[in-house]
Amino acid sequence: LNGTTIVTTDGTKEKEAYKGMHLYSGDDVKVQKESDLTMLLDMDKYVYAEEGTHFWLECAGKKDSTQTVIKLEDGSVLNRLKNNLNEGEVYQVDTPNSTMAVRGTVFRVTVYRGEDGLSYTLIEVFDGLVQVDLKNEQGEYNGVSETFGPGESALVRGNDEFSEFVLG
C-alpha cells in the first residue's frame, strides 16, 4: 500500500486502507492520486491497482472453490494468478462493457470514459488466456466472445445500448 486508498464497507463506512487490512465482498475501493494498492487473494492471486482506480469486490465460496469478481469501474488493475484455478473456481474482472474470465494468467485491464461518452476497456494479456465476453452497460451480454493469449490486446467500447471490439 502506497499513498491513500479509501475503502467503503456496508455502503456507508469509509476508512483509509492499511497494510494487512482484510477486504470483504461488497467492499468499495478507491485508490487515490499518487497511490497504489497491492492485494493478495486466496494466497495465490495478486491484484495491483494503480492510482485513480475504483472497484468493488464480489467474493464467495470456500478454500478450493472460491468465486472472485473484481467490478472495475475506472482505472487499471494488473492481475497475476500464480496457479491455475481449480474446477469450480471463478476469477473475473467485470467492467461496464465486458467481462474477463481466466483460469491462470497475467493480464491488465484498464477502464476509462471517453470524451464521446462511451466506456472503454483495454485488455492486455501477458501470460495465459483471457476470455472476453461483451455486454452493454445494462449488463446484457450480446453473445460476442473472444479469447486472447500472450502478447495480445483488445479495446472494447460501449454504452447502455451496445458493446463492441474496436478494430485497429
Side-chain angles (χ1 to χ4, degrees):
L1 179 66
N2 295 305
T4 303
T5 296
I6 303 298
V7 177
T8 304
T9 59
D10 300 325
T12 58
K13 300 175 189 168
E14 271 191 13
K15 57 185 161 186
E16 193 170 319
Y18 54 87
K19 185 177 179 180
M21 180 179 190
H22 290 265
L23 298 177
Y24 298 95
S25 189
D27 284 353
D28 185 293
V29 181
K30 293 179 183 169
V31 181
Q32 305 299 299
K33 288 185 178 187
E34 299 180 13
S35 303
D36 60 76
L37 170 70
T38 302
M39 296 186 304
L40 174 61
L41 308 172
D42 302 328
M43 303 308 290
D44 67 347
K45 299 167 191 74
Y46 293 89
V47 179
Y48 307 97
E50 299 176 14
E51 74 173 321
T53 297
H54 176 209
F55 65 91
W56 62 95
L57 298 172
E58 285 185 4
C59 307
K62 300 195 182 336
K63 184 178 180 187
D64 291 329
S65 63
T66 60
Q67 297 178 354
T68 303
V69 180
I70 297 172
K71 301 274 197 171
L72 182 60
E73 190 67 28
D74 196 28
S76 297
V77 291
L78 176 67
N79 305 270
R80 179 181 301 273
L81 283 69
K82 292 185 77 167
N83 301 309
N84 287 338
L85 298 180
N86 295 317
E87 191 66 36
E89 271 190 291
V90 173
Y91 185 92
Q92 296 177 336
V93 176
D94 191 54
T95 73
N97 59 20
S98 53
T99 299
M100 278 57 65
V102 301
R103 300 226 30 95
T105 189
V106 179
F107 67 107
R108 183 172 186 246
V109 180
T110 301
V111 173
Y112 62 94
R113 182 78 50 187
E115 290 182 12
D116 56 6
L118 299 176
S119 64
Y120 287 84
T121 301
L122 174 64
I123 302 101
E124 301 167 280
V125 181
F126 302 104
D127 186 40
L129 298 174
V130 176
Q131 178 181 321
V132 180
D133 298 316
L134 301 187
K135 64 178 182 164
N136 64 25
E137 290 184 7
Q138 298 297 316
E140 299 164 343
Y141 288 91
N142 65 12
V144 176
S145 181
E146 294 285 336
T147 300
F148 298 92
E152 295 182 316
S153 63
L155 182 64
V156 178
R157 69 177 168 202
N159 61 18
D160 285 345
E161 299 172 7
F162 77 98
S163 180
E164 64 186 4
F165 287 105
V166 177
L167 302 176

